[in-house]
């Protein structure tokens, strides 16, 4: 059972916008930076967003992140079939004294 | 560009010790502000953080694994090591090593992962 709560799945049509939520508490998201990862089947997770809302070089600006209080959101605009993947949020947890991941969200581009 | 490569046995017997090594090239995992982390993913499931060893010498482990896990870093060899004792089938997973940026807590580089199966 993950400390951070994500919807198991989201879906949208090509070209549309989708958001993925990540809900936590004051001991994790509320007190630390959030990062987001994209994972295709059989491959390693890849950093998409760090420090709540920053993109590493090479990540398209179609991907965005935000944080408010104890929740964070990943946004993807101009959806492409190549965006179909699992997405995970992560942050430090003061109670666990370690990193924690959300349960992951499977994105389907219809 | 930093590269991380996990290596170790792909098959471990129940009750034995799982040992993996992560070799670093074109960069560092042991200098400030970095930490060497291990993450695992059971087949068909989500990501689980195992633990970390930081440039400060501090280490932290997932409470659910703390009694069985040790992470160490050999700076001279540019390697990170993971040991998990008394393994069971529940430890079957793809194991990833990752570099984490300390204090900001994100994994900027991750290895390709290695599947470890626990079976007799």
């Amino acid at each position: 059972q993950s400390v951070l709560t994500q919807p198991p799945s989201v879906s949208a049509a090509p070209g549309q916008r989708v958001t993925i939520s990540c809900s936590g508490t004051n001991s994790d998201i509320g007190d630390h930076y959030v990062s987001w990862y994209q994972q295709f089947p059989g491959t390693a997770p890849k950093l998409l967003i760090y420090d709540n809302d920053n993109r590493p070089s090479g990540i398209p600006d179609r991907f965005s992140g935000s944080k408010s209080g104890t929740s964070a959101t990943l946004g993807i605009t101009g959806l492409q079939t190549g965006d179909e993947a699992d997405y995970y949020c992560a942050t430090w947890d003061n109670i666990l004294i370690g990193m924690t991941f959300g349960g992951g969200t499977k994105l389907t581009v219809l | 560009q930093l590269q991380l490569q996990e290596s170790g046995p792909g098959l471990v017997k129940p009750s034995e010790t799982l040992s993996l090594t992560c070799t670093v090239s074109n960069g560092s995992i042991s200098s400030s502000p970095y930490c060497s982390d291990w993450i695992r993913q059971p087949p068909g499931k989500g990501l689980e953080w195992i633990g970390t060893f930081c440039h400060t010498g501090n280490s932290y482990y997932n409470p659910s694994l703390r009694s069985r896990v040790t992470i160490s870093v050999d700076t001279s060899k540019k390697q990170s090591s993971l040991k998990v004792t008394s393994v069971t089938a529940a430890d079957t997973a793809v194991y990833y090593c990752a570099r984490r940026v300390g204090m900001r807590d994100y994994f900027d580089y991750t290895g390709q992962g290695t599947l470890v199966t626990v079976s007799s």
Side-chain angles (χ1 to χ4, degrees), chain A residues 32-35 37 39 42-45 47 49-51 54 88 90-92 96-103, chain B residues 37 39 41 45-49 52 60-63 66 96 100 103-113:
Chain A
H32 297 280
Y33 289 113
V34 176
S35 54
Y37 303 86
Q39 185 181 36
T43 69
L47 178 66
I49 298 289
Y50 67 97
D51 292 354
N54 288 309
Y88 294 89
T91 190
W92 186 267
L96 296 178
I97 312 180
M99 292 294 291
T100 188
F101 288 97
Chain B
D37 285 41
I39 299 161
Q41 186 170 35
K45 296 188 178 181
L47 301 171
E48 179 182 32
W49 180 76
T52 186
Y60 303 98
Y61 301 112
N62 188 318
R66 184 174 293 139
Y96 298 100
R100 180 169 55 87
M103 299 306 293
R104 293 158 70 188
D105 298 319
Y106 62 91
F107 304 105
D108 60 349
Y109 291 95
T110 304
Q112 65 184 28

Side-chain angles (χ1 to χ4, degrees), chain A residues 46-63:
Chain A
K46 174 185 174 182
L47 178 66
L48 270 186
I49 298 289
Y50 67 97
D51 292 354
N52 303 329
D53 56 9
N54 288 309
R55 287 185 311 276
S57 60
I59 301 299
D61 60 6
R62 300 188 298 107
F63 295 89

Side-chain angles (χ1 to χ4, degrees), chain A residues 78-103:
Chain A
L79 274 173
Q80 302 173 2
T81 55
D83 296 331
E84 284 201 337
D86 294 324
Y87 293 85
Y88 294 89
C89 58
T91 190
W92 186 267
D93 185 315
N94 291 336
I95 295 177
L96 296 178
I97 312 180
M99 292 294 291
T100 188
F101 288 97

Side-chain angles (χ1 to χ4, degrees), chain B residues 33-77:
Chain B
Y34 302 117
C35 302
S36 175
D37 285 41
W38 288 85
I39 299 161
R40 71 181 185 179
Q41 186 170 35
K45 296 188 178 181
L47 301 171
E48 179 182 32
W49 180 76
I50 298 171
T52 186
F53 188 98
C54 292
H55 66 94
T56 56
N58 293 331
S59 59
Y60 303 98
Y61 301 112
N62 188 318
S64 67
L65 298 167
R66 184 174 293 139
S67 63
R68 300 192 294 125
V69 171
T70 303
I71 296 173
S72 59
V73 172
D74 185 329
T75 55
S76 63
K77 292 183 178 179

Side-chain angles (χ1 to χ4, degrees), chain B residues 77-109:
Chain B
K77 292 183 178 179
K78 301 190 76 173
Q79 290 180 334
S80 172
S81 297
L82 169 71
K83 292 189 187 302
V84 183
T85 61
S86 305
V87 297
T88 69
D91 295 306
T92 293
V94 175
Y95 287 76
Y96 298 100
C97 64
R99 189 176 79 169
R100 180 169 55 87
V101 180
M103 299 306 293
R104 293 158 70 188
D105 298 319
Y106 62 91
F107 304 105
D108 60 349
Y109 291 95

